[in-house]
């Protein structure tokens, strides 16, 4: 059974196949064709954290594929009241065709998947946000920025950083990460990515200097300085991350045709200036829309794999 928990379980060919499928389904949608690839199938969507894009894209996506999405927040299901993950997984997967989960600990998602009869998709954990990277890479492809990209990630070493590390390490491109001291990406994940990079030819570099990372980059990206669950650290982080804002001065050192990506939600004049977010290089809203298309590709791909078994 194939799940989509992190990118590290996927080959370069598979990742590109999923994105290419998403692009094909996007083309169909834009030309008014709606093929019911997942007719009468249900997608359970478990949310233990807030969401705008993930919820709307998965719910709309499964509907457009001919299926139905169930939005299950912690307040709605017994998981939030202590029903074990393994019980929840067996019950939900006995009725639904696919499950998407947004939660805190990555191990909770893994436990769910271990007990699930149907494919499980990671809709964000504290460790990874792989569906976002499908949309990000799709956006890079559409903007002709996927050939030998030099990606600079500026900010917190978080779930987005870890997913960028996996994508770069598997696809084999250059990724430069600039974080404040003490806010680096997880050391085990870096080691894993470095091992993959040896085979793929990816170049992964780490610095505490945003200018070093952005110089000559073709893609510049960042993320919030305080992720969901870190709200209590926000004030302290605002001080520590000073100097890590992607602003016009920093963007000016990237290649002139560089694009700016952000998974959103963005905090203006914190991790990114209003001028960069709304500026000529920003493709963040095309990127957000691509969540819908990339995830439709993913759901159809996982469904096909399941039927092949
Ligand atoms: N980028 C992203 O996952 O957004 P949401 O938190 O709104 O789902
Ligand atoms: N790193 C952020 C991403 C939000 C989509 C978080 O986990 O809150």
């Amino acid at each position: 059974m194939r799940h989509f928990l992190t990118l590290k379980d996927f080959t370069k060919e598979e990742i590109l196949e999923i994105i290419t499928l998403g692009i094909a389904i996007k083309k169909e949608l834009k030309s008014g064709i709606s093929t019911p690839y997942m007719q009468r199938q249900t997608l359970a969507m478990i949310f233990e954290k807030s969401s705008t894009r993930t919820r709307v894209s998965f719910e709309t996506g499964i509907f457009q594929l001919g299926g139905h999405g169930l939005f299950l927040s912690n307040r709605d299901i017994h998981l939030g009241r202590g029903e074990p993950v393994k019980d929840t997984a067996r019950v939900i997967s006995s009725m639904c065709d696919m499950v998407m989960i947004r939660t805190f600990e990555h191990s909770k998602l893994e436990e769910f998947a271990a007990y699930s009869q149907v494919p499980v998709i990671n809709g964000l954990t504290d460790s990874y946000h792989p569906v976002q990277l499908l949309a990000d890479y799709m956006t890079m492809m559409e903007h002709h920025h996927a050939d030998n990209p030099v990606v600079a990630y500026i900010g917190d070493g978080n779930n987005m950083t870890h997913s960028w590390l996996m994508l770069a390490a598997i696809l084999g491109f250059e990724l430069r990460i600039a974080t404040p001291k003490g806010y680096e990406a997880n050391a085990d994940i870096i080691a894993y990515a470095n091992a993959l990079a040896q085979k793929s030819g990816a170049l992964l570099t780490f610095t505490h200097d945003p200018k070093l990372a952005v110089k000559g980059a073709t893609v510049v990206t960042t993320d919030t300085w305080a992720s969901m669950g870190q709200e209590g650290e926000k004030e302290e982080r605002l001080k520590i991350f000073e100097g890590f804002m992607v602003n016009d001065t920093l963007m000016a050192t990237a290649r002139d045709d560089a694009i700016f990506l952000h998974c959103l939600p963005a905090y203006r004049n914190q991790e990114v200036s209003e001028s960069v977010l709304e500026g000529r290089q920003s493709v963040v809203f095309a990127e957000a829309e691509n969540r819908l298309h990339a995830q439709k590709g993913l759901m159809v791909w996982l469904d096909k794999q399941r039927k092949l078994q």
Side-chain angles (χ1 to χ4, degrees), residues 8-249:
K8 67 182 176 197
D9 307 324
F10 288 77
T11 62
K12 174 176 181 168
E13 290 67 34
E14 287 172 338
I15 292 170
L16 296 177
E17 198 179 302
I18 291 167
I19 297 173
T20 307
L21 185 55
I23 291 173
I25 299 174
K26 176 177 181 177
K27 263 199 201 111
E28 286 189 359
L29 182 74
K30 299 280 179 190
S31 52
I33 303 164
S34 223
T35 313
Y37 294 103
M38 292 180 71
Q39 193 155 30
R40 297 182 66 81
Q41 296 205 32
T42 54
L43 172 74
M45 307 183 298
I46 301 174
F47 281 92
E48 298 204 293
K49 290 176 173 172
S50 306
S51 168
T52 299
R53 282 142 287 269
T54 305
R55 185 206 171 156
V56 175
S57 54
F58 270 111
E59 195 164 331
T60 302
I62 189 70
F63 174 75
Q64 290 177 351
L65 293 171
H68 177 73
L70 292 90
F71 175 70
L72 307 169
S73 86
N74 248 357
R75 282 191 299 278
D76 306 311
I77 56 174
H78 287 282
L79 188 64
R81 296 178 58 242
E83 184 168 15
V85 172
K86 58 186 181 185
D87 293 3
T88 310
R90 281 175 286 187
V91 172
I92 291 182
S93 71
S94 71
M95 301 180 210
C96 295
D97 302 285
M98 209 168 274
V99 183
M100 182 246 95
I101 305 177
R102 168 168 285 197
T103 190
F104 292 86
E105 306 88 1
H106 192 74
S107 55
K108 202 165 176 180
L109 177 79
E110 290 175 331
E111 185 184 353
F112 195 109
Y115 283 91
S116 174
Q117 298 173 34
V118 299
V120 175
I121 297 172
N122 181 354
L124 181 146
T125 63
D126 290 346
S127 307
Y128 295 103
H129 195 8
V131 284
Q132 180 68 52
L133 271 288
L134 295 179
D136 291 4
Y137 198 71
M138 179 187 274
T139 311
M140 285 165 59
M141 286 167 71
E142 290 176 342
H143 288 80
H144 311 291
H145 272 64
D147 285 336
N148 298 316
V150 178
V151 179
Y153 175 94
I154 311 302
D156 187 29
N158 63 13
N159 45 11
M160 279 301 297
T161 326
H162 298 154
S163 294
W164 272 111
L165 272 167
M166 286 305 152
L167 188 76
I170 297 164
L171 298 194
F173 61 79
E174 182 171 353
L175 173 66
R176 305 164 179 175
I177 295 176
T179 60
K181 285 203 178 90
Y183 292 84
E184 293 87 359
N186 174 285
D188 292 336
I189 295 176
I190 293 178
Y192 194 96
N194 274 330
L196 286 180
Q198 302 244 307
K199 286 181 226 140
S200 70
L203 184 58
L204 310 176
T205 54
F206 305 87
T207 172
H208 299 300
D209 181 357
K211 286 188 238 57
L212 254 181
V214 174
K215 196 174 184 314
T218 61
V219 177
V220 180
T221 186
T222 181
D223 184 19
T224 180
W225 292 339
S227 286
M228 289 180 274
Q230 298 172 334
E231 289 79 4
E233 299 174 32
K234 180 121 193 176
E235 285 313 305
E236 189 193 351
R237 283 171 172 258
L238 280 178
K239 285 182 220 134
I240 293 166
F241 282 75
E242 227 187 280
F244 283 78
M245 185 197 294
V246 178
N247 56 20
D248 291 321
T249 315

Side-chain angles (χ1 to χ4, degrees), residues 258-273:
I259 54 170
F260 174 74
L261 295 173
H262 190 311
C263 64
L264 305 180
Y267 296 86
R268 285 169 164 77
N269 302 322
Q270 293 180 23
E271 75 272 8
V272 57
S273 68

